Amino acid sequence: MLCGFNYMGDCEATLPVMEDEEKLIAAAQQIVKALEKKQNLTHDARKILADLGSQLSSITKLSENKHEKLFGETEDTVEKFSELEEQLNIVQNKVMSWEVDQSVIWDCGPEYADDYLRSVDEARKLIERLESLNVDKDSKEDELLCRAHEVMQIAMNRLEEEFRHLLVHNKQPFEPEHLSFRSSEDDEGSIVSFGDDSVEDVVQRDSMSRRSEEYVVELVHPDVIPDLRCIANLMFNSNYGRECSQTFISVRKDALDDFLFILEVKKLSIENVMKMEWNSLNSKIRRWIRCMKIFVCVYLASEKWLSDQIFGDLDSVSSVCFAESSKASILHLLKFAEAVAIGSHQPEKLIRILDMYEVLSDLIPDIDAMYSDDAGLCVRTKCQDILESLADCARTTFLEFENAVASSISTNPFPGGGIHPLTRYVMNYMKTLTDYSKILNELLKDNEQEDLVAISPEMTPDREEDNSNTSCYISPLAQHFRTFTSMLECNLDDKSKLYKDESLGHLFLMNNIHYMAEKVKNSHDLRTILGDDWIRKHNWRFQQHAMNYERATWSSILSLLRDEGLQNPGSNSISKTLLKERLHSFYLAFDEAYKSQTGWSIPDCQLREDLRISISLKVIQAYRTFIGRHTNHISDKYIKYSADDLENFLLDLFEGSPRSLHGSHRK
């Protein structure tokens, strides 16, 4: 529909001088002239009459000037007044005809809507002309002005209804492809509670892009945008802008509520959020992250575009209408983030807090651009406040994680000496945090400056001669990661002391430190942060525990295969009795070690195989040498196992399933 109108030409206002006023002035002048002719008047009386005559002349001139102002050089004032009255009558008839009909004007066709807009604009022009003349109260002109205002009020009410109708009935369905996440959300991983005995990947980051590109959709059918813009311009030009903007704000608020319903966003109080169980809160946070990205990058971008299309010709009106229609919902979404930020600081929340911080930080430039003026100040301020709250929460939760690692206490030894859940949790937690290394370094640095820390190369067996100190940069995250691993090792050392068997304690530490070293070695990000020196140091440590295990378990057993103490008293000959007893003791010790250590666990296949080979080389070599050296002093019936038997038995160790060799004999 065309928005231009053929407005009526400018008309000179034609307001006649009132006849009663003219007659009164003329009569007064005649009385003054008659009195002046009297012969017996005093000097003072004649002076008073002269002054009165002058005043009446002045009044006459003022009346004539007023007449000239209203009509210019037009003499037929009655005819001009009638012309204006007729114009108002025509406009009034058109406006009132639609009030009787009650049809929706814009549903009847563009020609009707265009004609209605022209008529209303004519009434506006007529009102402006009449108001510019400062007409007398209760005059015919004043009555005409009042009638024009009444017609304009009726027309503005109708345009407000038509404006609402166009917005509501031309709303486009909002189901962009971005909403497809709802069907796949349940398939994604989650974060379990700290120290939970769970699978390897105890922490997992949602797979999502850091930024959603702006994607504008048409919230209202594009064909009616010109009509909405024309109505808005006419209502604002007629001093009915408040009614127009309030209608827009009301309709778009409802549309936005519908959109949030589509996204399944529930309105939750801060108290409700803080009382949520972690699993439920975790799900809500993941949904919030996706909703915020869609809400800002798609919905708000589209809403801002719609507002600009309708109110773009009206200075700051577009920004105000956009802010007022949308700020309640975005502040509600931000309130959820605020509730999460002021809640408890369990370690499992940190990943989600960082996700929220990252998303909000990325979206703030877009939010600031859309809410750039005073109307959007509260939104901009709230975003910054909540971003700072999330940053504080992330820092506190990160530091709480350190404390949680240090204070994780066990009263019972971990069965089998395998990899403790705490070790898995901490190392996988650290691996996941590397995705947020940039954010964490920003959040953890002191006084907004990165400090250079003097560190010495970590001592390893092959680098003990290199003890010179060097100054190099170590990031805040790297410092904390080293603290994490140190605290974890101290904690593991305490847990190893819960084992009654010293050998199992060393096996436990070997397993866990080996797991830590492999986790760092196989993660590019962890390796970059902690460094190769850290890996070499921990490789050396788990190897030391492996050697300590072998010594604690097999040294005493292998000592039974030595010749010391086998000689007969007073001679160097071997005592067969002592030899049989020594061999019997070896078998008992081996059987006991087999029975217990088949139930012990080395989860890493390569580490398990390496330790078996190391044990086998020592045990089989010692056993073969002992049997070979004393083959002439002992009968075969006392040899319970062959060397091959022992070698096969050693292959059963560390599988986590206890076995027994009781009653087994060599065939």
Side-chain angles (χ1 to χ4, degrees):
M1 180 186 300
L2 296 177
C3 189
F5 313 124
N6 295 321
Y7 303 121
M8 68 178 185
D10 294 343
C11 297
E12 291 292 338
T14 56
L15 299 177
V17 179
M18 296 181 62
E19 295 179 359
D20 291 343
E21 182 183 11
E22 292 175 345
K23 291 178 180 179
L24 180 61
I25 294 172
Q29 287 175 331
Q30 290 176 2
I31 293 172
V32 170
K33 288 179 180 179
L35 290 172
E36 285 178 343
K37 293 179 180 180
K38 296 287 185 178
Q39 298 297 322
N40 58 348
L41 292 175
T42 65
H43 175 75
D44 291 339
R46 288 184 183 279
K47 184 179 179 182
I48 292 172
L49 288 173
D51 291 340
L52 181 58
S54 297
Q55 292 178 13
L56 288 172
S57 297
S58 298
I59 293 174
T60 301
K61 289 181 180 179
L62 289 172
S63 179
E64 289 173 352
N65 291 337
K66 182 178 180 182
H67 185 279
E68 184 177 351
K69 179 182 177 183
L70 294 176
F71 297 105
E73 308 225 349
T74 304
E75 296 180 359
D76 194 357
T77 58
V78 175
E79 183 178 345
K80 290 296 183 181
F81 178 82
S82 299
E83 183 180 338
L84 288 177
E85 188 174 28
E86 181 61 26
Q87 289 175 353
L88 180 58
N89 289 337
I90 293 172
V91 171
Q92 184 174 11
N93 288 335
K94 288 184 178 180
V95 170
M96 297 309 298
S97 66
W98 286 104
E99 297 305 305
V100 175
D101 191 335
Q102 288 297 312
S103 300
V104 177
I105 300 173
W106 264 259
D107 286 350
C108 295
E111 65 278 2
Y112 292 100
D114 197 51
D115 181 63
Y116 191 84
L117 289 174
R118 279 197 301 269
S119 299
V120 176
D121 197 62
E122 287 177 6
R124 181 186 66 81
K125 292 277 190 178
L126 191 149
I127 289 172
E128 287 180 354
R129 292 296 181 186
L130 291 173
E131 287 180 339
S132 67
L133 299 175
N134 298 317
V135 298
D136 294 331
K137 187 176 182 181
D138 297 330
S139 65
K140 291 181 179 179
E141 295 80 11
D142 185 51
E143 292 177 3
L144 189 67
L145 179 60
C146 290
R147 191 154 62 90
H149 276 300
E150 291 175 358
V151 172
M152 182 61 73
Q153 177 69 54
I154 294 171
M156 289 295 109
N157 290 340
R158 167 50 67 98
L159 286 180
E160 182 180 341
E161 294 175 4
E162 297 285 333
F163 190 77
R164 181 186 299 275
H165 177 83
L166 288 174
L167 282 173
V168 172
H169 291 275
N170 290 278
K171 184 174 68 173
Q172 298 278 73
F174 189 81
E175 283 284 355
E177 59 185 7
H178 300 71
L179 301 187
S180 61
F181 74 85
R182 287 184 296 166
S183 61
S184 61
E185 183 181 75
D186 294 338
D187 296 332
E188 298 193 28
S190 61
I191 305 175
V192 299
S193 298
F194 179 84
D196 191 8
D197 188 1
S198 57
V199 296
E200 175 104 357
D201 294 327
V202 294
V203 287
Q204 187 176 66
R205 186 184 186 186
D206 281 347
S207 57
M208 58 182 179
S209 61
R210 296 201 172 201
R211 290 290 299 269
S212 289
E213 294 184 2
E214 187 176 283
Y215 180 75
V216 175
V217 297
E218 293 172 336
L219 302 177
V220 173
H221 199 285
D223 289 349
V224 302
I225 297 296
D227 299 319
L228 291 166
R229 184 165 56 247
C230 287
I231 295 174
N233 288 340
L234 182 53
M235 292 186 71
F236 271 86
N237 289 338
S238 304
N239 296 320
Y240 283 83
R242 182 176 180 276
E243 289 79 359
C244 179
S245 59
Q246 287 299 318
T247 299
F248 177 87
I249 292 168
S250 174
V251 172
R252 296 314 304 166
K253 271 186 176 180
D254 292 341
L256 193 143
D257 286 341
D258 293 341
F259 168 67
L260 292 180
F261 179 79
I262 292 172
L263 290 181
E264 300 178 13
V265 175
K266 296 181 180 179
K267 293 187 177 181
L268 300 169
S269 67
I270 291 179
E271 292 75 15
N272 293 145
V273 175
M274 294 181 68
K275 291 178 181 178
M276 277 187 188
E277 295 293 332
W278 166 239
N279 288 338
S280 177
L281 181 59
N282 179 36
S283 177
K284 291 288 189 299
I285 292 175
R286 287 162 54 203
R287 179 171 293 280
W288 180 90
I289 290 169
R290 290 161 175 76
C291 286
M292 277 297 293
K293 292 164 72 68
I294 298 170
F295 183 81
V296 173
C297 296
V298 181
Y299 187 88
L300 284 188
S302 303
E303 192 70 35
K304 178 65 174 171
W305 183 87
L306 174 64
S307 182
D308 288 342
Q309 290 295 303
I310 296 175
F311 301 107
D313 299 333
L314 301 168
D315 297 329
S316 62
V317 174
S318 174
S319 297
V320 173
C321 287
F322 165 74
E324 292 299 321
S325 63
S326 62
K327 69 180 180 181
S329 292
I330 190 171
L331 289 176
H332 166 70
L333 288 173
L334 291 173
K335 186 171 72 172
F336 175 82
E338 180 182 16
V340 174
I342 64 178
S344 57
H345 302 119
Q346 299 102 318
E348 58 267 21
K349 287 177 60 177
L350 179 57
I351 303 301
R352 294 294 176 238
I353 296 294
L354 292 173
D355 283 337
M356 296 177 80
Y357 177 89
E358 181 182 49
V359 167
L360 186 56
S361 179
D362 285 345
L363 292 177
I364 277 181
D366 297 328
I367 294 172
D368 287 347
M370 286 186 282
Y371 295 93
S372 58
D373 55 11
D374 291 342
L377 177 61
C378 64
V379 175
R380 301 198 308 273
T381 302
K382 194 67 172 178
C383 282
Q384 289 296 337
D385 289 346
I386 292 177
L387 189 68
E388 292 177 9
S389 295
L390 289 170
D392 291 339
C393 181
R395 278 190 292 266
T396 304
T397 304
F398 186 88
L399 298 176
E400 283 293 325
F401 178 69
E402 288 186 4
N403 297 333
V405 173
S407 60
S408 176
I409 300 174
S410 300
T411 56
N412 296 311
F414 185 67
I419 301 168
H420 198 279
L422 179 65
T423 307
R424 295 183 186 274
Y425 189 97
V426 170
M427 298 308 298
N428 284 285
Y429 197 89
M430 289 170 54
K431 181 180 178 182
T432 302
L433 288 180
T434 60
D435 288 342
Y436 305 87
S437 57
K438 182 178 179 181
I439 296 175
L440 285 169
N441 279 322
E442 286 293 320
L443 296 179
L444 295 171
K445 66 183 180 182
D446 297 328
N447 300 322
E448 300 298 324
Q449 294 180 349
E450 297 176 339
D451 299 327
L452 287 177
V453 180
I455 59 171
S456 59
E458 297 189 86
M459 302 302 294
T460 57
D462 58 339
R463 295 189 60 185
E464 290 183 356
E465 72 280 0
D466 183 7
N467 57 4
S468 60
N469 288 339
T470 61
S471 293
C472 63
Y473 170 73
I474 177 171
S475 69
L477 184 61
Q479 295 180 56
H480 284 280
F481 273 14
R482 293 188 179 197
T483 301
F484 284 173
T485 56
S486 295
M487 288 182 171
L488 176 60
E489 289 176 63
C490 290
N491 193 300
L492 291 173
D493 190 62
D494 290 340
K495 293 182 186 326
S496 71
K497 296 173 182 177
L498 297 174
Y499 294 104
K500 295 180 180 180
D501 192 322
E502 180 187 357
S503 301
L504 185 52
H506 286 299
L507 190 81
F508 172 78
L509 290 173
M510 177 199 72
N511 275 327
N512 284 269
I513 295 175
H514 175 266
Y515 178 87
M516 293 169 64
E518 288 296 300
K519 204 70 179 180
V520 174
K521 184 173 69 175
N522 295 326
S523 168
H524 175 269
D525 292 331
L526 279 177
R527 186 167 192 159
T528 300
I529 293 172
L530 290 173
D532 290 338
D533 281 346
W534 187 97
I535 296 174
R536 283 192 289 270
K537 177 180 179 180
H538 286 76
N539 281 339
W540 176 78
R541 284 183 179 174
F542 88 76
Q543 289 168 3
Q544 286 295 109
H545 285 295
M547 289 187 290
N548 290 337
Y549 152 78
E550 289 187 16
R551 280 196 291 266
T553 297
W554 298 103
S555 292
S556 59
I557 296 176
L558 293 179
S559 67
L560 297 173
L561 299 179
R562 295 173 185 165
D563 289 346
E564 289 82 356
L566 292 179
Q567 292 83 8
N568 287 312
S571 73
N572 292 327
S573 63
I574 297 297
S575 170
K576 293 182 178 180
T577 301
L578 293 176
L579 182 62
K580 288 189 292 181
E581 291 177 355
R582 181 71 62 82
L583 193 59
H584 179 68
S585 297
F586 169 79
Y587 290 138
L588 288 177
F590 185 89
D591 288 356
E592 186 62 29
Y594 178 90
K595 179 180 178 181
S596 60
Q597 297 192 23
T598 51
W600 295 358
S601 174
I602 301 180
D604 185 86
C605 297
Q606 187 61 52
L607 181 61
R608 183 170 62 244
E609 183 65 21
D610 289 345
L611 191 58
R612 284 171 175 171
I613 291 173
S614 177
I615 296 170
S616 182
L617 287 174
K618 295 178 177 65
V619 173
I620 303 306
Q621 179 63 34
Y623 184 73
R624 280 181 174 152
T625 300
F626 185 82
I627 296 298
R629 188 166 54 246
H630 300 293
T631 187
N632 296 326
H633 298 91
I634 189 169
S635 172
D636 286 349
K637 67 179 180 178
Y638 296 110
I639 300 176
K640 188 176 183 180
Y641 307 126
S642 68
D644 290 340
D645 291 333
L646 294 181
E647 189 171 9
N648 290 331
F649 294 151
L650 291 174
L651 295 178
D652 295 335
L653 300 183
F654 317 126
E655 292 287 351
S657 300
R659 299 184 186 183
S660 175
L661 291 175
H662 181 70
S664 297
H665 293 276
R666 175 176 169 266
K667 301 297 182 184

